[in-house]
């Protein structure tokens, strides 16, 4: 019987191989399982969630997140790493707090008070937190152009923009940067409210004439010029009516001085333009506006033959009265272009430049 058993075993092995079935021995299985466990252990896991306000979470992980998982250019992929229930989602990348090893400011869409939310990161363990409708205290609002206004908060009121407390902006913020502990208290024990990224945020503006507008945040203005004064802009083509009193309301901010009477603002005056290369140019105003008023603005560059190309302001490039605009296309070397501001944000009287 023994020889017959060996023959049957060999035949069975041959038939399995012939059928294309792949088999693993025990050591192969164990090694594969260990490899999967090691890969799983490489992923960061959430250890704690603090709800700071209706649009901001403070999330602590068991270790720092990988560089590619906090890179703004990877935002759309990073959004997929954060799995919430109840349609909550992140709106910008997590930002590591100054002095922290793995605690991040995470901006999210608006929470609802008392809702039991859950969050998991890259499919790892799920953590629970309760939604909040807590708003941020803002002191003032004011009009800054015929279609733009700002809201301003102050550190002396116990409010800080996240740009002041994160590692990514530390080197550029100078004395504005400072460290907060886990409870967001400074070295003197003062507790701060934190304004997280305002990307995609909106504010409602109502006029006493019955007009109601939804104003959009102007990117890269919330920490500009070392002020906590983000700008918001009316929909394209809309302007404030001089003499009308407007009131600002928001899902995420309580504005103490929430009204302003609209005035008639003069457009910015473009004094000169100079080509940097065939993809960008430098615009100089007749005076430093003292704040970031270039943001979100565009120009049309008109060649002598009548052809045109548009240029968009390069965010955060303003130095005093000078700002850089990037061309949506390519300038023709030696061609003379005339500056034509798109919409009425600026005036340019026969301002020309020659492309390099």
């Amino acid at each position: 019987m023994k020889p017959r058993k060996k023959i049957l075993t060999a035949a069975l092995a041959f038939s399995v191989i012939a059928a294309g079935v792949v088999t693993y021995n025990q050591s192969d299985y164990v090694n594969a399982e260990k490899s999967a466990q090691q890969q799983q252990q490489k992923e960061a896991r959430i250890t704690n969630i603090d709800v700071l306000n209706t649009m901001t979470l403070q999330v602590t992980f068991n270790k720092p997140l990988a560089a590619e998982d906090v890179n703004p250019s990877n935002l759309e992929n990073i959004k997929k790493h954060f799995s919430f229930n109840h349609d909550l989602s992140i709106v910008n990348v997590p930002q590591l707090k100054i002095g922290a090893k793995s605690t991040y400011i995470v901006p999210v869409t608006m929470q609802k008070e008392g809702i039991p939310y859950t969050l998991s990161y890259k499919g790892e363990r799920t953590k629970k937190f309760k939604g909040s409708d807590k708003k941020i205290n803002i002191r003032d609002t004011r009009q800054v152009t015929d279609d733009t206004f700002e809201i301003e908060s102050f550190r002396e009121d116990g409010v800080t923009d996240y740009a002041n407390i994160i590692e990514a902006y530390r080197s550029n913020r100078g004395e504005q940067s400072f460290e907060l502990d886990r409870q967001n208290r400074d070295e003197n024990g003062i507790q701060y409210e934190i304004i997280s990224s305002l990307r995609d945020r909106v504010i409602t503006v109502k006029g006493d004439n019955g007009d109601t507008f939804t104003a959009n945040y102007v990117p890269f203005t919330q920490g500009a010029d070392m002020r906590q004064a983000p700008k918001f802009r009316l929909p394209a083509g809309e302007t404030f009516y001089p003499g009308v009193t407007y009131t600002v309301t928001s899902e995420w901010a309580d504005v103490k001085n929430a009204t302003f009477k609209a005035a008639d603002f003069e457009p910015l005056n473009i004094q000169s333009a100079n080509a940097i290369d065939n993809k960008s140019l430098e615009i100089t105003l007749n005076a430093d506006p003292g704040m970031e008023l270039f943001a979100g603005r565009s120009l049309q560059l008109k060649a002598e033959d009548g052809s045109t190309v548009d240029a968009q302001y390069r965010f955060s490039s303003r130095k005093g009265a000078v700002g850089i605009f990037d061309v949506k296309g390519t300038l023709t070397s030696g061609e003379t272009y005339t500056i034509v501001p798109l919409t009425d944000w600026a005036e340019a009287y026969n301002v020309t430049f020659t492309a390099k």
Side-chain angles (χ1 to χ4, degrees):
M1 293 297 292
K2 289 183 178 180
R4 179 177 176 80
K5 184 176 181 181
K6 290 182 179 179
I7 292 171
L8 287 173
T9 303
L12 178 60
F14 176 81
S15 64
V16 170
I17 294 171
V21 178
V22 180
T23 60
Y24 296 92
N25 60 36
Q26 182 66 21
S27 62
D28 287 340
Y29 177 79
V30 171
N31 289 337
E33 188 175 39
K34 284 183 178 179
S35 178
Q37 290 175 346
Q38 289 171 353
Q39 179 62 35
Q40 191 175 36
Q41 289 171 0
K42 289 180 181 179
E43 300 294 358
R45 299 192 310 275
I46 296 170
T47 59
N48 190 72
I49 300 174
D50 296 306
V51 180
L52 303 188
N53 52 60
T54 191
M55 66 175 189
T56 310
L57 302 178
Q58 180 172 278
V59 181
T60 300
F61 296 83
N62 66 329
K63 62 181 180 180
L65 300 181
E68 63 267 24
D69 292 334
V70 294
N71 187 334
S73 64
N74 294 335
L75 178 59
E76 291 311 309
N77 285 329
I78 293 171
K79 284 182 178 181
K80 299 173 185 176
H81 298 163
F82 289 79
S83 299
F84 295 88
N85 62 350
H86 299 302
D87 297 320
L88 201 69
S89 61
I90 68 169
V91 299
N92 211 338
V93 299
Q95 294 286 3
L96 181 66
K97 291 176 64 178
I98 292 174
K101 292 182 179 180
S102 56
T103 297
Y104 296 79
I105 300 299
V106 180
V108 295
T109 51
M110 297 299 119
Q111 303 163 48
K112 294 181 180 179
E113 169 70 17
I115 292 294
Y117 289 102
T118 60
L119 168 61
S120 67
Y121 182 73
K122 291 188 176 182
E124 295 292 326
R125 69 173 64 162
T126 297
K127 299 289 286 186
K128 299 178 181 179
F129 65 96
K130 188 170 288 188
S132 171
D133 62 356
K134 180 182 178 182
K135 297 184 178 183
I136 299 162
N137 290 308
I138 305 294
R139 189 193 298 182
D140 294 320
T141 185
R142 68 179 63 82
Q143 181 187 6
V144 294
T145 73
D146 64 353
D147 65 353
T148 307
F149 65 97
E150 66 182 17
I151 59 172
E152 187 168 17
S153 61
F154 298 86
R155 277 179 55 176
E156 52 262 41
D157 293 338
V159 180
T160 182
D161 191 276
Y162 82 116
N164 296 328
I165 62 162
I166 61 171
E167 285 288 352
Y169 297 164
R170 187 175 190 175
S171 61
N172 294 326
R173 301 295 291 176
E175 294 182 354
Q176 291 288 107
S177 287
F178 65 109
E179 184 175 334
L180 295 178
D181 66 12
R182 173 75 175 272
Q183 287 73 43
N184 290 314
R185 298 171 301 197
D186 68 9
E187 61 183 0
N188 298 313
I190 298 173
Q191 184 136 21
Y192 284 84
E193 298 177 52
I194 295 174
I195 305 171
S196 60
S197 171
L198 295 178
R199 182 189 180 100
D200 299 332
R201 310 295 189 189
V202 297
I203 281 183
T204 300
V205 188
K206 296 181 179 180
D208 61 9
N209 64 346
D211 286 343
T212 300
F213 300 107
T214 297
N216 293 288
Y217 168 64
V218 181
F220 297 96
T221 60
Q222 69 182 94
D225 303 300
M226 299 302 176
R227 297 172 63 223
Q228 297 180 172
K231 311 294 186 289
F232 290 81
R233 186 160 294 149
L234 299 183
E238 300 289 354
T239 58
F240 292 112
Y241 287 91
V244 172
T245 296
Y246 292 88
T247 301
V248 171
T249 59
S250 168
E251 288 185 281
W252 52 271
D254 277 327
V255 184
K256 182 178 180 181
N257 301 311
T259 64
F260 61 89
K261 181 175 284 190
D264 188 10
F265 275 72
E266 292 294 324
L268 299 176
N269 189 291
I270 297 176
Q271 186 178 64
S272 63
N274 293 287
I276 297 174
D277 50 38
N278 66 353
K279 298 285 292 182
S280 58
L281 66 149
E282 206 172 57
I283 292 296
T284 302
L285 302 176
N286 66 331
D288 181 358
M291 64 177 71
E292 183 55 277
L293 298 184
F294 279 129
R297 301 303 194 183
S298 298
L299 300 170
Q300 186 180 81
L301 312 178
K302 188 174 183 180
E304 292 178 308
D305 63 3
S307 62
T308 62
V309 62
D310 291 348
Q312 179 78 35
Y313 173 67
R314 183 186 299 174
F315 287 116
S316 303
S317 68
R318 182 181 69 87
K319 303 294 182 184
V322 180
I324 296 173
F325 284 70
D326 293 313
V327 179
K328 297 179 179 179
T330 304
L331 299 173
T332 302
S333 180
E335 181 71 65
T336 297
Y337 291 88
T338 299
I339 300 295
V340 181
L342 293 176
T343 71
D344 296 327
W345 68 273
E347 296 174 331
Y349 298 106
N350 298 318
V351 177
T352 63
F353 71 97
T354 301
K356 292 186 177 181

